[in-house]
Amino acid sequence: MPGADRALLDEVGAFIAERLDAFAGDSAALVHVDAHFANLLWDGDRLTALLDFEGARPAAPDLELDTLLRFAREPELYRGRDGGAGPARRDLAAFPGWLTAAYPELFAHPRLPARLAVYEALWQLVQALHFPPGADPRDPWGHLKALLDAGERWAAWG
């Protein structure tokens, strides 16, 4: 991959390896993996459909939490290339707290911050395949560096 920072990739690999024991004994559920407002259809105040299942797979249920929290943190990533309409960060500020209250089981794992940090690292690595350093404002390389600096403190959601 042109422009790849090999030292950073090695650090990310070690970061993930240090947290793999947080996934021991997982049980799998069908996880959508791309649940955010652009993939939901509404009829008034009622959810009528969930779209975009091509990435769905068996995984730990909190993998879905990673996407939902990223959406609340960075909704601009989910607007598509035209930057179309969608909620702003301030509109979603209360969402993580609401989700915690509505679905406490999703937040119950004792090693959840470590798990969320690994999910984030993996997501950013995939983004790095699409966006070389400096090529896009999403800057997965910068996100990876920030994640390594913050560790599990990064995974705080509210």
Side-chain angles (χ1 to χ4, degrees), residues 6-58:
R6 185 67 201 169
L8 177 63
L9 292 175
D10 289 343
E11 284 184 62
V12 172
F15 179 89
I16 292 170
E18 290 168 5
R19 290 157 178 80
L20 285 180
D21 63 333
F23 297 88
D26 272 1
S27 58
L30 180 62
V31 179
H32 183 276
V33 189
D34 198 20
H36 54 81
F37 290 177
N39 282 336
L40 303 175
L41 289 181
W42 299 87
D43 181 14
D45 61 352
R46 196 173 125 246
L47 179 65
T48 58
L50 179 60
L51 308 174
D52 198 15
F53 277 87
E54 79 272 1
R57 62 182 178 268

Side-chain angles (χ1 to χ4, degrees), residues 29-37 39-40 50-71 78 119 122-123 126-127:
L30 180 62
V31 179
H32 183 276
V33 189
D34 198 20
H36 54 81
F37 290 177
N39 282 336
L40 303 175
L50 179 60
L51 308 174
D52 198 15
F53 277 87
E54 79 272 1
R57 62 182 178 268
D62 59 12
L63 178 58
E64 202 75 82
L65 179 59
D66 172 62
T67 302
L68 293 167
L69 294 175
R70 183 176 306 101
F71 173 65
Y78 297 89
Y119 294 145
L122 294 172
W123 193 82
V126 170
Q127 299 312 300

Side-chain angles (χ1 to χ4, degrees), residues 37 103 130 139 151 157:
F37 290 177
Y103 193 178
H130 302 288
D139 186 21
W157 49 82

